[in-house]
Each structure stands twice: as structure tokens, then as C-alpha cells.
């Protein structure tokens, strides 16, 4: 990736709907050159996709939480397919520490969250949950800078 590719990626992370014309103006190269670079970034897997950011509260998801789950290694074969099919799980990571998985979840109510936690505990075992009161830094892109020499 060169300086122009990094600039394109930075702009698209802030606004995936930026037009080729706008990108062209920002990067000082032609729109066809921008389109070719974006295609190359997509083919190489640097750009994996585009999505809309949704205000969850406006669609009645008022509770966000992080749930840690303590799994035995043998349970992962059952846990991963199960968790993949739960739409309220917006992210799940295998991590180090006392708990092997940490999930970010959203639910309309604490009752719905409680039902989910109870199901997880019955199927897989111990959990630890933190309910989010507020978010000071929401999901955002990673700023790509010039590499240090």
C-alpha cells in the first residue's frame, strides 16, 4: 500500500459512500485511477466490505453488554455454530484469560439479555457480564499512517 491507497482507505472508513469524484479530488488522481485502486484493495482483501452504521436505540435495542464465557476446548465445536446463528451477538472473540470467549451483544431489554445469559449458562457454563451504560468511543476505522522507517 502506498500513500494514496492509505488515504483512500482512511476516507472510505469514515464514509464508505464517498464518491469516486470526491476521492479523486482528495487524492489528486483521476476517478478511473481511484476505481482501479479500490478494486485492487478489494481483491487483495484489505477492503472486505461496506456497511451502514445503525443507531441501535432507534430500532429498540436499548441494552448493550459484554458477556465473557468460560469454555472447555471441546465445547468450541458446539459453541461456534450456536453463537453464529444468534443475531443479537454482534461480535465474538476468542481471548486469553480466565474466560475464553468475549461477546458484544445487543438486546431490546435486560429481560431478553437475562434469557440469553441463562441459555448460555445452561449450554456452556460460567459467564461474566458487563452491561454498558455509555460508549465514549464507538466502533471506528483504524487510521493508516505512513510506515515508520
Amino acid at each position: 500500500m502506498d500513500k494514496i491507497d492509505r488515504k483512500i482507505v482512511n476516507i472510505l472508513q469514515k464514509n464508505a459512500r464517498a464518491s469516486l469524484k470526491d476521492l479523486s479530488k482528495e487524492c489528486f488522481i483521476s476517478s478511473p485511477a481511484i476505481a482501479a485502486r479500490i478494486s485492487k484493495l478489494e481483491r487483495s482483501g484489505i477492503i472486505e466490505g461496506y456497511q451502514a452504521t445503525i443507531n441501535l436505540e432507534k430500532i429498540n435495542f436499548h441494552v448493550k453488554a459484554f458477556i465473557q464465557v468460560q469454555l472447555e476446548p471441546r465445547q468450541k465445536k458446539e459453541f461456534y455454530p450456536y453463537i453464529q446463528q444468534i443475531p443479537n451477538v454482534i461480535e465474538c472473540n476468542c481471548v486469553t484469560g480466565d474466560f475464553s470467549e468475549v461477546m458484544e451483544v445487543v438486546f431490546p431489554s435486560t429481560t431478553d439479555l437475562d434469557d440469553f445469559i441463562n441459555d448460555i449458562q445452561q449450554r456452556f457454563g460460567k459467564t461474566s457480564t458487563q452491561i454498558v451504560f455509555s460508549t465514549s468511543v464507538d466502533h471506528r476505522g483504524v487510521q493508516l499512517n505512513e510506515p515508520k522507517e
Side-chain angles (χ1 to χ4, degrees):
M1 285 182 62
D2 65 11
K3 184 177 185 174
I4 294 171
D5 288 340
R6 283 189 290 279
K7 190 167 193 172
I8 291 168
V9 170
N10 287 336
I11 292 167
L12 289 175
Q13 285 185 105
K14 289 181 182 138
N15 178 10
R17 295 185 69 181
S19 69
L20 293 177
K21 183 179 176 183
D22 291 341
L23 288 165
S24 176
K25 284 180 185 176
E26 287 286 324
C27 297
F28 304 105
I29 61 173
S30 69
S31 292
I34 292 287
R37 283 174 175 268
I38 290 173
S39 291
K40 183 179 174 188
L41 291 164
E42 290 169 344
R43 283 192 313 275
S44 69
I46 292 170
I47 295 176
E48 293 185 334
Y50 304 87
Q51 66 186 41
T53 303
I54 306 297
N55 182 325
L56 294 169
E57 288 191 6
K58 292 197 182 237
I59 57 171
N60 294 320
F61 285 88
H62 300 286
V63 179
K64 184 194 307 189
F66 292 93
I67 303 171
Q68 297 176 35
V69 183
Q70 198 172 59
L71 293 178
E72 297 295 325
R74 63 177 168 69
Q75 292 178 292
K76 290 181 180 182
K77 276 195 291 187
E78 181 186 348
F79 178 77
Y80 290 151
Y82 166 78
I83 217 66
Q84 283 283 340
Q85 55 99 21
I86 306 292
N88 302 78
V89 176
I90 58 177
E91 188 169 354
C92 183
N93 298 286
C94 183
V95 297
T96 61
D98 293 335
F99 292 88
S100 55
E101 302 291 329
V102 63
M103 297 179 280
E104 183 177 358
V105 300
V106 293
F107 285 92
S109 69
T110 54
T111 302
D112 295 321
L113 173 62
D114 187 42
D115 291 342
F116 177 67
I117 292 168
N118 288 335
D119 189 45
I120 292 286
Q121 289 171 339
Q122 288 173 2
R123 289 173 184 258
F124 302 104
K126 187 176 177 183
T127 66
S128 175
T129 302
Q130 296 80 40
I131 294 176
V132 175
F133 289 141
S134 65
T135 301
S136 57
V137 177
D138 216 340
H139 291 280
R140 60 183 176 189
V142 175
Q143 181 71 32
L144 301 180
N145 298 316
E146 289 290 321
K148 294 182 180 185
E149 294 180 23

